mmCIF file of all heavy atoms in Angstrom:
data_model
loop_
_atom_site.group_PDB
_atom_site.id
_atom_site.type_symbol
_atom_site.label_atom_id
_atom_site.label_comp_id
_atom_site.label_asym_id
_atom_site.label_seq_id
_atom_site.Cartn_x
_atom_site.Cartn_y
_atom_site.Cartn_z
ATOM 1 N N GLU A 58 123.045 116.707 63.164
ATOM 2 C CA GLU A 58 122.844 117.915 63.813
ATOM 3 C C GLU A 58 122.539 117.714 65.336
ATOM 4 O O GLU A 58 122.899 118.527 66.181
ATOM 5 C CB GLU A 58 121.754 118.720 63.189
ATOM 6 C CG GLU A 58 122.071 119.275 61.788
ATOM 7 C CD GLU A 58 123.119 120.364 61.824
ATOM 8 O OE1 GLU A 58 123.549 120.741 62.914
ATOM 9 O OE2 GLU A 58 123.547 120.804 60.737
ATOM 10 N N GLY A 59 121.767 116.697 65.634
ATOM 11 C CA GLY A 59 121.481 116.440 67.032
ATOM 12 C C GLY A 59 120.410 117.430 67.653
ATOM 13 O O GLY A 59 120.285 117.474 68.878
ATOM 14 N N THR A 60 119.768 118.177 66.764
ATOM 15 C CA THR A 60 118.781 119.171 67.253
ATOM 16 C C THR A 60 117.487 118.532 67.670
ATOM 17 O O THR A 60 116.914 118.904 68.680
ATOM 18 C CB THR A 60 118.557 120.253 66.221
ATOM 19 O OG1 THR A 60 117.736 121.184 66.728
ATOM 20 C CG2 THR A 60 117.947 119.650 64.973
ATOM 21 N N ARG A 61 117.015 117.512 66.939
ATOM 22 C CA ARG A 61 115.796 116.790 67.349
ATOM 23 C C ARG A 61 116.147 115.704 68.353
ATOM 24 O O ARG A 61 115.358 115.455 69.314
ATOM 25 C CB ARG A 61 115.093 116.258 66.108
ATOM 26 C CG ARG A 61 113.743 115.680 66.447
ATOM 27 C CD ARG A 61 112.999 115.089 65.167
ATOM 28 N NE ARG A 61 111.776 114.451 65.606
ATOM 29 C CZ ARG A 61 111.097 113.581 64.861
ATOM 30 N NH1 ARG A 61 111.538 113.319 63.606
ATOM 31 N NH2 ARG A 61 109.962 113.066 65.319
ATOM 32 N N TYR A 62 117.238 114.949 68.019
ATOM 33 C CA TYR A 62 117.639 113.847 68.877
ATOM 34 C C TYR A 62 119.099 114.087 69.353
ATOM 35 O O TYR A 62 120.013 114.109 68.493
ATOM 36 C CB TYR A 62 117.492 112.497 68.166
ATOM 37 C CG TYR A 62 116.077 112.114 67.921
ATOM 38 C CD1 TYR A 62 115.547 112.267 66.639
ATOM 39 C CD2 TYR A 62 115.274 111.555 68.890
ATOM 40 C CE1 TYR A 62 114.279 111.897 66.358
ATOM 41 C CE2 TYR A 62 114.015 111.164 68.611
ATOM 42 C CZ TYR A 62 113.478 111.329 67.321
ATOM 43 O OH TYR A 62 112.232 111.028 67.062
ATOM 44 N N ALA A 63 119.328 114.328 70.606
ATOM 45 C CA ALA A 63 120.654 114.439 71.103
ATOM 46 C C ALA A 63 121.265 113.052 71.376
ATOM 47 O O ALA A 63 120.521 112.158 71.712
ATOM 48 C CB ALA A 63 120.665 115.307 72.410
ATOM 49 N N PRO A 64 122.553 112.866 71.240
ATOM 50 C CA PRO A 64 123.559 113.874 70.838
ATOM 51 C C PRO A 64 123.712 114.043 69.301
ATOM 52 O O PRO A 64 123.177 113.230 68.576
ATOM 53 C CB PRO A 64 124.812 113.295 71.483
ATOM 54 C CG PRO A 64 124.624 111.851 71.279
ATOM 55 C CD PRO A 64 123.167 111.584 71.552
ATOM 56 N N PRO A 65 124.482 115.055 68.905
ATOM 57 C CA PRO A 65 124.796 115.150 67.513
ATOM 58 C C PRO A 65 125.732 114.012 66.988
ATOM 59 O O PRO A 65 126.258 113.261 67.843
ATOM 60 C CB PRO A 65 125.542 116.501 67.398
ATOM 61 C CG PRO A 65 126.042 116.789 68.774
ATOM 62 C CD PRO A 65 125.078 116.132 69.682
ATOM 63 N N MET A 66 125.844 113.869 65.687
ATOM 64 C CA MET A 66 126.635 112.768 65.115
ATOM 65 C C MET A 66 126.247 111.449 65.623
ATOM 66 O O MET A 66 127.064 110.563 65.898
ATOM 67 C CB MET A 66 128.181 113.019 65.306
ATOM 68 C CG MET A 66 128.665 114.314 64.773
ATOM 69 S SD MET A 66 129.164 115.463 66.069
ATOM 70 C CE MET A 66 130.666 114.672 66.653
ATOM 71 N N LEU A 67 124.944 111.250 65.759
ATOM 72 C CA LEU A 67 124.402 110.042 66.459
ATOM 73 C C LEU A 67 124.715 108.800 65.648
ATOM 74 O O LEU A 67 125.218 107.795 66.138
ATOM 75 C CB LEU A 67 122.942 110.189 66.717
ATOM 76 C CG LEU A 67 122.292 109.035 67.470
ATOM 77 C CD1 LEU A 67 122.830 108.903 68.843
ATOM 78 C CD2 LEU A 67 120.705 109.218 67.515
ATOM 79 N N ALA A 68 124.296 108.782 64.383
ATOM 80 C CA ALA A 68 124.454 107.554 63.533
ATOM 81 C C ALA A 68 125.898 107.224 63.264
ATOM 82 O O ALA A 68 126.278 106.057 63.196
ATOM 83 C CB ALA A 68 123.588 107.618 62.317
ATOM 84 N N SER A 69 126.691 108.243 62.929
ATOM 85 C CA SER A 69 128.120 108.003 62.731
ATOM 86 C C SER A 69 128.750 107.532 64.013
ATOM 87 O O SER A 69 129.743 106.752 63.985
ATOM 88 C CB SER A 69 128.847 109.236 62.137
ATOM 89 O OG SER A 69 128.721 110.320 63.025
ATOM 90 N N GLY A 70 128.234 107.929 65.181
ATOM 91 C CA GLY A 70 128.768 107.498 66.433
ATOM 92 C C GLY A 70 128.479 106.037 66.641
ATOM 93 O O GLY A 70 129.313 105.292 67.220
ATOM 94 N N VAL A 71 127.313 105.522 66.171
ATOM 95 C CA VAL A 71 126.969 104.132 66.304
ATOM 96 C C VAL A 71 127.912 103.374 65.342
ATOM 97 O O VAL A 71 128.479 102.287 65.717
ATOM 98 C CB VAL A 71 125.501 103.838 65.969
ATOM 99 C CG1 VAL A 71 125.262 102.370 65.917
ATOM 100 C CG2 VAL A 71 124.611 104.515 67.022
ATOM 101 N N PHE A 72 128.058 103.913 64.189
ATOM 102 C CA PHE A 72 128.967 103.237 63.152
ATOM 103 C C PHE A 72 130.380 103.105 63.695
ATOM 104 O O PHE A 72 131.049 102.100 63.509
ATOM 105 C CB PHE A 72 128.957 104.065 61.846
ATOM 106 C CG PHE A 72 129.667 103.367 60.682
ATOM 107 C CD1 PHE A 72 128.905 102.692 59.746
ATOM 108 C CD2 PHE A 72 131.023 103.382 60.529
ATOM 109 C CE1 PHE A 72 129.508 102.085 58.635
ATOM 110 C CE2 PHE A 72 131.628 102.810 59.484
ATOM 111 C CZ PHE A 72 130.876 102.130 58.548
ATOM 112 N N GLY A 73 130.831 104.158 64.381
ATOM 113 C CA GLY A 73 132.179 104.119 64.889
ATOM 114 C C GLY A 73 132.355 103.439 66.264
ATOM 115 O O GLY A 73 133.427 103.529 66.794
ATOM 116 N N GLY A 74 131.241 102.891 66.773
ATOM 117 C CA GLY A 74 131.352 102.122 68.009
ATOM 118 C C GLY A 74 131.290 103.007 69.267
ATOM 119 O O GLY A 74 131.586 102.529 70.414
ATOM 120 N N VAL A 75 130.973 104.279 69.104
ATOM 121 C CA VAL A 75 130.929 105.227 70.286
ATOM 122 C C VAL A 75 129.646 104.997 71.058
ATOM 123 O O VAL A 75 129.645 105.097 72.260
ATOM 124 C CB VAL A 75 131.019 106.685 69.780
ATOM 125 C CG1 VAL A 75 130.948 107.659 70.964
ATOM 126 C CG2 VAL A 75 132.287 106.908 68.992
ATOM 127 N N HIS A 76 128.504 104.746 70.329
ATOM 128 C CA HIS A 76 127.202 104.465 70.961
ATOM 129 C C HIS A 76 126.726 103.129 70.548
ATOM 130 O O HIS A 76 127.076 102.671 69.527
ATOM 131 C CB HIS A 76 126.156 105.558 70.494
ATOM 132 C CG HIS A 76 126.643 106.963 70.571
ATOM 133 N ND1 HIS A 76 127.105 107.576 71.723
ATOM 134 C CD2 HIS A 76 126.679 107.920 69.626
ATOM 135 C CE1 HIS A 76 127.413 108.786 71.498
ATOM 136 N NE2 HIS A 76 127.249 109.047 70.193
ATOM 137 N N THR A 77 125.853 102.598 71.355
ATOM 138 C CA THR A 77 125.189 101.374 70.944
ATOM 139 C C THR A 77 123.882 101.683 70.116
ATOM 140 O O THR A 77 123.313 102.776 70.328
ATOM 141 C CB THR A 77 124.758 100.420 72.100
ATOM 142 O OG1 THR A 77 123.715 101.104 72.870
ATOM 143 C CG2 THR A 77 125.979 100.197 72.998
ATOM 144 N N GLN A 78 123.534 100.826 69.282
ATOM 145 C CA GLN A 78 122.354 101.042 68.439
ATOM 146 C C GLN A 78 121.088 101.087 69.286
ATOM 147 O O GLN A 78 120.231 101.913 69.091
ATOM 148 C CB GLN A 78 122.196 99.947 67.400
ATOM 149 C CG GLN A 78 121.013 100.123 66.445
ATOM 150 C CD GLN A 78 121.088 99.115 65.246
ATOM 151 O OE1 GLN A 78 122.119 98.925 64.610
ATOM 152 N NE2 GLN A 78 119.918 98.464 65.063
ATOM 153 N N GLU A 79 120.993 100.246 70.293
ATOM 154 C CA GLU A 79 119.842 100.217 71.194
ATOM 155 C C GLU A 79 119.733 101.545 71.935
ATOM 156 O O GLU A 79 118.605 102.052 72.046
ATOM 157 C CB GLU A 79 120.022 99.085 72.192
ATOM 158 C CG GLU A 79 119.882 97.661 71.580
ATOM 159 C CD GLU A 79 121.162 97.277 70.848
ATOM 160 O OE1 GLU A 79 122.261 97.918 71.083
ATOM 161 O OE2 GLU A 79 121.118 96.353 70.065
ATOM 162 N N TRP A 80 120.815 102.095 72.403
ATOM 163 C CA TRP A 80 120.784 103.376 73.135
ATOM 164 C C TRP A 80 120.336 104.469 72.138
ATOM 165 O O TRP A 80 119.498 105.337 72.527
ATOM 166 C CB TRP A 80 122.185 103.654 73.638
ATOM 167 C CG TRP A 80 122.233 104.962 74.430
ATOM 168 C CD1 TRP A 80 121.960 105.205 75.715
ATOM 169 C CD2 TRP A 80 122.710 106.227 73.914
ATOM 170 N NE1 TRP A 80 122.174 106.457 76.070
ATOM 171 C CE2 TRP A 80 122.666 107.120 74.960
ATOM 172 C CE3 TRP A 80 123.184 106.678 72.664
ATOM 173 C CZ2 TRP A 80 123.052 108.469 74.854
ATOM 174 C CZ3 TRP A 80 123.504 107.999 72.501
ATOM 175 C CH2 TRP A 80 123.469 108.920 73.612
ATOM 176 N N ALA A 81 120.841 104.411 70.904
ATOM 177 C CA ALA A 81 120.459 105.442 69.920
ATOM 178 C C ALA A 81 118.971 105.378 69.615
ATOM 179 O O ALA A 81 118.277 106.365 69.528
ATOM 180 C CB ALA A 81 121.296 105.292 68.639
ATOM 181 N N TYR A 82 118.475 104.143 69.415
ATOM 182 C CA TYR A 82 117.037 103.925 69.171
ATOM 183 C C TYR A 82 116.156 104.546 70.230
ATOM 184 O O TYR A 82 115.006 104.968 70.001
ATOM 185 C CB TYR A 82 116.722 102.447 68.989
ATOM 186 C CG TYR A 82 116.935 101.966 67.584
ATOM 187 C CD1 TYR A 82 117.620 102.683 66.630
ATOM 188 C CD2 TYR A 82 116.472 100.686 67.240
ATOM 189 C CE1 TYR A 82 117.815 102.190 65.341
ATOM 190 C CE2 TYR A 82 116.715 100.110 65.976
ATOM 191 C CZ TYR A 82 117.358 100.928 65.054
ATOM 192 O OH TYR A 82 117.590 100.413 63.748
ATOM 193 N N ASP A 83 116.614 104.569 71.511
ATOM 194 C CA ASP A 83 115.847 104.956 72.637
ATOM 195 C C ASP A 83 115.878 106.480 72.870
ATOM 196 O O ASP A 83 115.262 106.974 73.818
ATOM 197 C CB ASP A 83 116.263 104.294 73.923
ATOM 198 C CG ASP A 83 115.748 102.820 73.920
ATOM 199 O OD1 ASP A 83 114.768 102.540 73.261
ATOM 200 O OD2 ASP A 83 116.371 102.015 74.692
ATOM 201 N N ARG A 84 116.693 107.250 72.008
ATOM 202 C CA ARG A 84 116.641 108.681 72.213
ATOM 203 C C ARG A 84 115.238 109.226 71.870
ATOM 204 O O ARG A 84 114.560 108.666 70.963
ATOM 205 C CB ARG A 84 117.658 109.381 71.282
ATOM 206 C CG ARG A 84 119.168 108.980 71.423
ATOM 207 C CD ARG A 84 119.648 109.198 72.810
ATOM 208 N NE ARG A 84 119.459 107.976 73.617
ATOM 209 C CZ ARG A 84 119.390 107.875 74.929
ATOM 210 N NH1 ARG A 84 119.470 108.973 75.642
ATOM 211 N NH2 ARG A 84 119.278 106.768 75.541
ATOM 212 N N VAL A 85 114.799 110.209 72.575
ATOM 213 C CA VAL A 85 113.429 110.763 72.349
ATOM 214 C C VAL A 85 113.512 112.216 72.069
ATOM 215 O O VAL A 85 114.465 112.953 72.529
ATOM 216 C CB VAL A 85 112.502 110.519 73.570
ATOM 217 C CG1 VAL A 85 112.235 109.041 73.768
ATOM 218 C CG2 VAL A 85 113.030 111.137 74.790
ATOM 219 N N ASP A 86 112.566 112.734 71.191
ATOM 220 C CA ASP A 86 112.588 114.132 70.891
ATOM 221 C C ASP A 86 111.651 114.844 71.930
ATOM 222 O O ASP A 86 111.163 114.258 72.924
ATOM 223 C CB ASP A 86 112.099 114.391 69.486
ATOM 224 C CG ASP A 86 110.654 113.972 69.208
ATOM 225 O OD1 ASP A 86 109.943 113.651 70.201
ATOM 226 O OD2 ASP A 86 110.229 114.022 68.010
ATOM 227 N N ALA A 87 111.438 116.120 71.716
ATOM 228 C CA ALA A 87 110.661 116.951 72.651
ATOM 229 C C ALA A 87 109.223 116.428 72.834
ATOM 230 O O ALA A 87 108.546 116.769 73.824
ATOM 231 C CB ALA A 87 110.643 118.424 72.220
ATOM 232 N N ASP A 88 108.731 115.782 71.803
ATOM 233 C CA ASP A 88 107.358 115.215 71.835
ATOM 234 C C ASP A 88 107.300 113.807 72.349
ATOM 235 O O ASP A 88 106.236 113.076 72.323
ATOM 236 C CB ASP A 88 106.714 115.242 70.484
ATOM 237 C CG ASP A 88 106.556 116.717 69.964
ATOM 238 O OD1 ASP A 88 106.212 117.587 70.775
ATOM 239 O OD2 ASP A 88 106.759 116.963 68.767
ATOM 240 N N GLY A 89 108.442 113.249 72.789
ATOM 241 C CA GLY A 89 108.498 111.906 73.306
ATOM 242 C C GLY A 89 108.600 110.827 72.272
ATOM 243 O O GLY A 89 108.428 109.646 72.638
ATOM 244 N N LYS A 90 108.851 111.185 71.015
ATOM 245 C CA LYS A 90 108.921 110.161 69.971
ATOM 246 C C LYS A 90 110.329 109.545 69.894
ATOM 247 O O LYS A 90 111.310 110.295 69.862
ATOM 248 C CB LYS A 90 108.571 110.810 68.615
ATOM 249 C CG LYS A 90 107.144 111.296 68.584
ATOM 250 C CD LYS A 90 106.805 112.039 67.242
ATOM 251 C CE LYS A 90 105.385 112.495 67.242
ATOM 252 N NZ LYS A 90 105.095 113.230 65.939
ATOM 253 N N ARG A 91 110.352 108.241 69.874
ATOM 254 C CA ARG A 91 111.716 107.510 69.835
ATOM 255 C C ARG A 91 112.343 107.654 68.487
ATOM 256 O O ARG A 91 111.683 107.545 67.434
ATOM 257 C CB ARG A 91 111.498 106.029 70.232
ATOM 258 C CG ARG A 91 111.134 105.744 71.655
ATOM 259 C CD ARG A 91 110.921 104.248 71.859
ATOM 260 N NE ARG A 91 112.120 103.503 71.718
ATOM 261 C CZ ARG A 91 112.462 102.678 70.674
ATOM 262 N NH1 ARG A 91 111.607 102.550 69.674
ATOM 263 N NH2 ARG A 91 113.590 102.055 70.662
ATOM 264 N N PHE A 92 113.648 107.731 68.509
ATOM 265 C CA PHE A 92 114.428 107.713 67.241
ATOM 266 C C PHE A 92 114.137 106.486 66.430
ATOM 267 O O PHE A 92 113.866 106.593 65.267
ATOM 268 C CB PHE A 92 115.916 107.846 67.578
ATOM 269 C CG PHE A 92 116.842 107.800 66.446
ATOM 270 C CD1 PHE A 92 117.302 108.987 65.851
ATOM 271 C CD2 PHE A 92 117.190 106.622 65.849
ATOM 272 C CE1 PHE A 92 118.173 108.963 64.741
ATOM 273 C CE2 PHE A 92 118.032 106.546 64.694
ATOM 274 C CZ PHE A 92 118.507 107.717 64.156
ATOM 275 N N GLY A 93 114.168 105.342 67.095
ATOM 276 C CA GLY A 93 113.988 104.044 66.402
ATOM 277 C C GLY A 93 112.608 104.002 65.705
ATOM 278 O O GLY A 93 112.488 103.486 64.559
#
């Protein structure tokens, strides 16, 4: 959904090589909490 952590389709994007895992882990929500 990407509603708490943008962008949407985040984990399938890492699986498909669109995003790096490190970049995905560093996404933060509105409260500053990291995805990882």
